[in-house]
């Protein structure tokens, strides 16, 4: 509630998950309501945003991208990529910028959240492999949490991807997920 007030946010959500089992220890969606007076609550406050709302996950996808490529043996933590922050990187007719510069390794791509580095790694995997990892991570599917109203994530099948798509999914754009999917 304090963060909502401080940032003038309309809503907030949080999930605490036990990592080794996947058990949800705590979950909150704000604004909330008094269940005893549910008829007086607005529809938006009765919504469990942790399982219904979809958003572009942003930089959290960089860890997914890198872990898939590491697992495939396509890269190692010491693999390097050239990134020039003074100019845009073009792929598929579109540009992508970055805030890091030089020859950087995979550790730095994750640590400094490099857009271009993550995009280049996704391209090395190929669309089919990258997409299959996204499916194995559970994106585009319900988690199966025992609560009503859980939404699917959104991601087009790789055969329908335009050339730019893997470079954007790798940085968390062009894919929509729910908070529960992100945590899981």
């Amino acid at each position: 509630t304090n963060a909502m007030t401080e940032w003038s946010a309309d809503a907030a959500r949080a999930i605490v998950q036990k990592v080794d089992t996947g058990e949800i220890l705590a979950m909150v969606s704000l604004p909330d309501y008094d269940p005893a007076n549910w008829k007086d609550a607005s529809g938006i406050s009765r919504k469990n945003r942790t399982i219904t709302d979809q958003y572009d996950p942003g930089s959290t996808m960089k860890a997914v991208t890198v872990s898939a490529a590491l697992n495939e043996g396509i890269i190692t933590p010491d693999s390097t990529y050239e990134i020039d922050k003074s100019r845009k990187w073009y792929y598929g007719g579109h540009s992508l910028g970055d805030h890091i510069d030089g020859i950087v390794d995979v550790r730095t791509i994750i640590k400094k959240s490099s857009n271009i580095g993550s995009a280049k790694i996704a391209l090395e995997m190929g669309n089919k492999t990258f997409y299959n990892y996204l499916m194995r991570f559970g994106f585009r599917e319900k988690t199966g949490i025992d609560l009503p109203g859980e939404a699917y994530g959104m991601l087009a099948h790789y055969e329908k991807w335009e050339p730019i798509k893997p470079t954007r999914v790798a940085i968390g754009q062009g894919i929509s997920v729910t908070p529960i999917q992100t945590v899981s």
Side-chain angles (χ1 to χ4, degrees):
T1 305
N2 292 344
M4 277 182 62
T5 303
E6 179 181 344
W7 296 99
S8 301
D10 294 331
R13 44 198 112 21
I15 302 170
V16 178
Q17 183 183 55
K18 191 172 181 182
V19 176
D20 59 341
T21 65
E23 177 185 6
I24 302 300
L25 302 175
M27 183 167 32
V28 66
S29 178
L30 297 174
D32 61 358
Y33 66 98
D34 179 358
N37 297 313
W38 66 271
K39 289 182 182 177
D40 298 331
S42 68
I44 199 77
S45 66
R46 290 192 307 239
K47 185 176 171 183
N48 184 348
R49 292 170 174 259
T50 61
I51 64 170
T52 61
D53 286 10
Q54 297 177 11
Y55 64 100
D56 286 6
S59 290
T60 58
M61 288 303 293
K62 293 171 184 168
V64 171
T65 303
V66 167
S67 65
L70 285 168
N71 195 61
E72 279 296 297
I74 293 167
I75 61 170
T76 71
D78 297 316
S79 298
T80 58
Y81 296 85
E82 183 177 357
I83 299 166
D84 184 351
K85 73 176 182 180
S86 67
R87 61 184 170 88
K88 300 280 185 187
W89 176 72
Y90 285 88
Y91 186 82
H94 298 274
S95 67
L96 189 60
D98 217 313
H99 59 277
I100 64 174
D101 199 29
I103 306 293
V104 297
D105 63 16
V106 171
R107 290 177 192 88
T108 303
I109 288 170
I110 290 293
K111 184 168 48 173
K112 303 243 178 169
S113 193
S114 169
N115 290 336
I116 294 172
S118 298
K120 287 180 175 183
I121 290 169
L123 290 174
E124 284 186 55
M125 266 189 287
N127 291 355
K128 183 177 181 181
T129 299
F130 187 30
Y131 176 86
N132 286 338
Y133 270 95
L134 295 170
M135 296 301 96
R136 293 197 325 227
F137 271 104
F139 296 110
R140 216 182 87 174
E141 299 295 328
K142 292 182 178 183
T143 64
I145 192 166
D146 193 20
L147 293 170
E150 182 181 9
Y152 291 91
M154 292 189 297
L155 176 66
H157 190 274
Y158 75 91
E159 291 176 344
K160 296 179 180 177
W161 287 6
E162 296 197 13
I164 191 176
K165 187 74 165 187
T167 68
R168 295 318 191 251
V169 171
I171 63 172
Q173 299 172 0
I175 179 173
S176 292
V177 300
T178 62
I180 194 70
Q181 285 177 322
T182 302
V183 168
S184 296

